[in-house]
């Protein structure tokens, strides 16, 4: 069991490598992964179920302990990223199907990977977990509403249908996970350690399925979408950090909020695009590339902040 847990940790630490590797394989041999596309929502549901099984009431105590920081983090999440996405779409005059995909990932809640990255960056991990939990629970209402507000000029949006999809893919699995943990606490503890590995496999499979299904579009527009994603993610970190400093949050809190804002639940963006915009596969590509990129930029930012914290600690001694 110890060897398996070491293997699980290794896979987690090298998550970005596996995403890049399988994205490359999917471009080379798309037919190996295209068949997974109908199962994307199920795979994301499994990831959310795992998230629910790892959550406890203590995770929500952070909301009561530092409500100001959580409110700033959640508001920044649902203001900064959608607004940045909209601005980038207008600035670069993106094609409607790509613009919709960029805005969709911008309207998603924070990703669970942000908690690990915040821990690596020596930020306030409890705050990160609280922000992720609250933004995820608010997603069924806020994601379709903000998406409709910003994207309906490009295409007719069925916000009600999207609300139902997010309930099914996000909220229901999380609630089930919480209930399973409450009812079978001792047994669940044994399986929780496996869930990070399951989540990595699921996200890698989701990204590979979308990359494989969108090969032609990616070869045509992939570099431009990557550029937009890099700007979106980078400015998300920057504006999240400075919004926190503006409201006088501590440095560890500011790091947590910056990472929370910059890292999206891109798997949800892929699933929503696959369900609601199936006729235009490229709509899911910004979310898939975001999943690829933020798992490279996040660890890089965490490494910088951690080394800075270590240097400061050494100087103080």
């Amino acid at each position: 069991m110890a060897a398996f847990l070491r293997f699980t940790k290794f896979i987690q630490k090298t998550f970005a490598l596996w995403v890049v590797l399988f994205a490359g394989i999917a471009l080379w041999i798309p037919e190996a992964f295209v068949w997974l596309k109908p199962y994307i929502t199920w795979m994301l549901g499994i990831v959310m179920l795992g998230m629910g099984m790892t959550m406890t009431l203590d995770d929500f105590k952070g909301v009561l302990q530092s409500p100001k920081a959580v409110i700033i983090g959640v508001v920044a999440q649902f203001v900064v990223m959608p607004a940045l996405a909209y601005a980038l779409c207008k600035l670069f005059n993106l094609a409607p199907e790509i613009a919709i995909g960029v805005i969709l990932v911008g309207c998603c809640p924070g990703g669970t990977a942000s908690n690990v990255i915040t821990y690596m960056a020596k930020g306030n991990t409890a705050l990160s977990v609280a922000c992720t939990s609250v933004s995820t629970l608010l997603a069924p209402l806020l994601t379709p509403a903000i998406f409709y507000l910003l994207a309906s000029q490009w295409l007719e949006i069925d916000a009600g249908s999207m609300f139902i999809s997010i309930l099914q893919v996000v909220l229901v699995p999380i609630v089930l996970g919480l209930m399973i943990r409450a009812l079978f606490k001792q047994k669940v503890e044994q399986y929780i350690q496996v869930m990070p590995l399951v989540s990595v496999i699921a996200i890698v499979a989701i990204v590979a399925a979308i990359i494989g299904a969108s090969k032609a579009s990616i070869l045509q527009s992939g570099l431009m979408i990557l550029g937009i994603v890099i700007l979106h993610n980078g400015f998300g970190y920057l504006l999240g950090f400075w919004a926190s400093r503006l409201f006088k949050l501590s440095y560890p809190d500011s790091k947590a909020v910056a990472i929370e804002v910059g890292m999206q639940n891109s798997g949800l963006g892929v699933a929503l695009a696959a369900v609601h915009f199936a006729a235009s596969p490229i709509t899911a590509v910004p979310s898939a590339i975001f999943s690829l990129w933020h798992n490279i930029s996040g660890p890089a930012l965490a490494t910088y902040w951690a080394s800075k914290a270590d240097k400061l600690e050494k100087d103080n001694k």
Side-chain angles (χ1 to χ4, degrees), residues 11-312:
I11 295 294
Q12 270 186 280
K13 286 179 181 177
T14 54
F15 183 27
L17 172 66
W18 301 112
V19 176
V20 173
L21 176 63
F22 279 89
I25 296 171
L27 276 176
W28 181 37
I29 318 170
E31 59 274 11
F33 300 97
V34 171
W35 63 274
L36 289 167
K37 198 177 172 188
Y39 304 103
I40 284 174
T41 51
W42 288 98
M43 288 189 284
L44 185 63
I46 290 168
V47 173
M48 292 296 108
L49 178 71
M51 180 180 172
M53 288 169 67
T54 58
M55 287 166 70
T56 64
L57 290 175
D58 287 340
D59 295 336
F60 296 96
K61 285 180 183 176
V63 180
L64 300 173
Q65 289 168 352
S66 53
K68 176 187 170 183
V70 175
I71 290 167
I72 290 167
V74 173
V75 170
Q77 176 70 59
F78 286 112
V79 172
V80 170
M81 293 306 274
L84 270 174
Y86 183 81
L88 288 167
C89 291
K90 286 293 189 182
L91 182 64
F92 291 95
N93 195 25
L94 298 182
E97 60 272 19
I98 298 175
I100 289 164
V102 172
I103 291 173
L104 182 58
V105 72
C107 294
C108 287
T112 51
S114 62
N115 308 151
V116 179
I117 299 301
T118 300
Y119 174 76
M120 287 169 58
K122 300 196 172 181
N124 186 339
T125 308
L127 173 60
S128 176
V129 171
C131 287
T132 301
S133 304
V134 172
S135 69
T136 301
L137 294 176
L138 290 175
L141 284 173
L142 294 183
T143 295
I146 299 169
F147 181 63
Y148 176 81
L149 182 69
L150 298 179
S152 54
Q153 63 175 283
W154 280 286
L155 193 74
E156 189 176 335
I157 308 296
D158 188 346
S161 176
M162 194 170 281
F163 168 74
I164 299 297
S165 292
I166 301 174
L167 278 181
Q168 293 171 338
V169 175
V170 176
L171 208 57
V172 171
I174 284 177
V175 171
L176 280 174
L178 284 165
M179 289 170 64
I180 290 168
R181 177 157 188 166
L183 292 170
F184 308 103
K185 190 173 182 181
Q186 289 185 335
K187 289 184 179 179
V188 167
E189 292 294 339
Q190 298 171 11
Y191 294 105
I192 281 174
Q193 298 175 75
V194 182
M195 290 314 295
L197 179 62
V198 173
S199 297
V200 169
I201 292 169
I203 294 296
V204 168
I206 288 169
V207 171
I210 289 300
I211 296 288
S214 311
K215 179 179 177 178
S217 302
I218 289 170
L219 292 177
Q220 185 181 348
S221 309
L223 280 177
M224 181 189 65
I225 296 174
L226 175 62
I228 297 292
V229 163
I230 290 171
L231 289 172
H232 194 189
N233 174 241
F235 278 112
Y237 291 139
L238 186 66
L239 294 178
F241 181 81
W242 286 111
S244 306
R245 301 305 280 169
L246 183 68
F247 287 98
K248 296 182 169 50
L249 294 189
S250 69
Y251 196 58
D253 285 3
S254 297
K255 287 193 279 188
V257 171
I259 292 165
E260 192 65 29
V261 172
M263 298 187 75
Q264 298 294 87
N265 187 340
S266 45
L268 176 61
V270 169
L272 291 174
V275 171
H276 296 278
F277 307 104
S280 179
I282 198 170
T283 300
V285 173
S287 292
I289 292 179
F290 203 107
S291 184
L292 175 69
W293 175 252
H294 79 180
N295 283 301
I296 296 170
S297 67
L301 181 61
T303 302
Y304 165 73
W305 264 332
S307 62
K308 193 175 176 183
D310 289 341
K311 186 176 182 298
L312 191 65

